[in-house]
Amino acid sequence: MSDISRRAVTLGAAGAYAAFGLDKPITFVDAAHAQQSVTQPFRKYKVGDIEIFSLIDGMRDVPLREGMVRNVSVEQVKTVLRGAGFPDNQAPLRFIVMALKLRDQVVLIDSGTGGHPIYGEGNGRLFESMAAAGLDPKAVKTILISHLHGDHIYGLMNNESDAQVFPDADIVVPAAELKWWTHPGVESIDLGPTRKGLAQRIQATVATWKNVRTFEGEPELLPGVHAVQAPGHSPGMVAHLVTSGGEQFLISADVVNLAPHISTNPEWQLAIDQDPQMAVETRRKIFDRAVADKLTISGTHWLMPNVGTLAKDGNRYVFVAEG
């Protein structure tokens, strides 16, 4: 029996909201959203005929420390945090799974933390958010993976047994990403505490599962859904561009982890990126494309609403969140 069957989703919307306690005011770049409260564990958007959902899997506040941004002093980061209305001793982080509703099937973009303890308490709430949004985990036919960090793939597997949570779903992974995480010697590379043992777990699970398929380049993965190369945060990471009815929505994965509600300076080199300089180059490329093509854009770790648009402001960008 799959984990979906064992973890029958019985929590309704009201119960899901209460489980999150999502009532802390957060400040957005645009005044219209200032001090808006997050009151639900999901948000729904429409792109042509495709419904897109932002599903909260969890949240945490990351203590601010010197070196979190490699090329900016901690005092500069504190100034930006204060200017956005946040405490200057921690950076707020969300874990969000994006989902698409395509006719009779549900498609997940990544799978969240799976409640793994390395990401702190209160995570692994994907199924609760799906229930609140009216999405049935049993309807998930395809899972598109942006990259293989634990907070994006641990929702695919049981924490104790590594058994598949979605054994009947087609799992689509960038070939370059899987190749990097399975190359000889990768297990000995120190990638920080949250990635300790990650390579070994990938090699024991995703690399061996029969329902995993890989791709190269930027193909159309599903009707209206194209991969977009976005390396840096992880070596083979991709974003996903959803197109329908003349509208475009870019699900940018971890192109930037520090929510643009706080700062949208593409030159900041984040220590959490495996190749910070390449991540800067990718970030600028993705942000410039979002501005030029007037894309709606979202990010995995952005504050809710994690969907909006970008505009250029000198060397920086301004993010305007959708209501």
Side-chain angles (χ1 to χ4, degrees):
M1 183 182 297
S2 74
D3 274 33
I4 290 178
S5 299
R6 284 195 293 267
R7 293 163 56 186
V9 182
T10 59
L11 186 64
Y17 301 163
F20 281 90
L22 299 180
D23 58 359
K24 182 179 179 182
I26 58 177
T27 302
F28 296 93
V29 170
D30 58 318
H33 291 94
Q35 299 303 319
Q36 178 174 341
S37 294
V38 177
T39 57
Q40 60 189 56
F42 77 94
R43 282 182 178 264
K44 183 168 74 171
Y45 305 89
K46 199 81 183 293
V47 179
D49 296 329
I50 300 174
E51 291 181 322
I52 300 183
F53 298 81
S54 297
L55 304 165
I56 293 187
D57 183 57
M59 57 190 67
R60 67 183 298 187
D61 291 321
V62 180
L64 195 63
R65 57 176 175 77
E66 193 72 56
M68 182 178 287
V69 183
R70 301 197 328 174
N71 59 340
V72 173
S73 74
V74 71
E75 288 305 317
Q76 288 174 277
V77 179
K78 286 182 177 182
T79 298
V80 169
L81 284 168
R82 286 193 298 266
F86 293 95
D88 66 4
N89 62 342
Q90 58 192 21
L93 186 70
R94 301 293 180 259
F95 297 98
I96 298 172
V97 175
M98 304 299 291
L100 312 177
K101 195 168 184 182
L102 301 171
R103 294 172 296 280
D104 61 341
Q105 73 162 310
V106 175
V107 177
L108 295 183
I109 310 290
D110 298 323
S111 66
T113 65
H116 195 286
I118 195 67
Y119 298 108
E121 303 221 354
N123 293 306
R125 293 172 171 173
L126 173 61
F127 280 18
E128 295 173 13
S129 291
M130 291 183 73
L135 299 176
D136 183 357
K138 293 180 182 178
V140 175
K141 306 299 183 186
T142 305
I143 303 173
L144 305 179
I145 299 299
S146 64
H147 62 296
L148 294 172
H149 289 170
D151 55 319
H152 293 255
I153 64 165
Y154 282 169
L156 297 175
M157 59 196 74
N158 180 280
N159 277 328
E160 286 74 38
S161 67
D162 279 348
Q164 289 202 57
V165 173
F166 300 94
D168 299 321
D170 188 22
I171 301 171
V172 186
V173 180
E177 183 74 355
L178 187 58
K179 181 178 180 181
W180 194 90
W181 285 99
T182 55
H183 80 264
V186 66
E187 304 89 349
S188 62
I189 301 174
D190 183 3
L191 296 170
T194 62
R195 296 169 194 161
K196 186 175 178 62
L198 175 58
Q200 293 93 322
R201 199 171 187 200
I202 291 169
Q203 292 165 22
T205 55
V206 178
T208 67
W209 290 344
K210 302 302 182 185
N211 57 328
V212 171
R213 66 179 174 91
T214 60
F215 67 89
E216 305 206 15
E218 298 186 336
E220 186 175 42
L221 303 172
L222 291 169
V225 184
H226 283 82
V228 176
Q229 293 295 315
H233 176 70
S234 192
M237 188 175 79
V238 299
H240 295 92
L241 182 65
V242 181
T243 305
S244 179
E247 299 176 33
Q248 296 186 94
F249 188 117
L250 184 62
I251 300 170
S252 71
D254 288 10
V255 165
V256 61
N257 282 333
L258 185 62
H261 307 71
I262 302 167
S263 171
T264 318
N265 186 329
E267 300 299 327
W268 282 18
Q269 295 186 13
L270 307 181
I272 199 168
D273 295 332
Q274 287 181 231
D275 186 333
Q277 183 54 50
M278 182 180 288
V280 165
E281 295 168 9
T282 290
R283 191 173 305 132
R284 184 175 290 285
K285 179 180 176 181
I286 292 290
F287 283 3
D288 282 346
R289 179 173 179 176
V291 172
D293 294 349
K294 297 181 171 58
L295 304 179
T296 301
I297 188 170
S298 72
T300 302
H301 299 295
W302 301 2
L303 305 177
M304 292 283 270
N306 71 320
V307 171
T309 56
L310 287 166
K312 198 72 180 290
D313 179 21
N315 291 324
R316 298 179 65 253
Y317 301 80
V318 175
F319 177 73
V320 179
E322 288 196 9

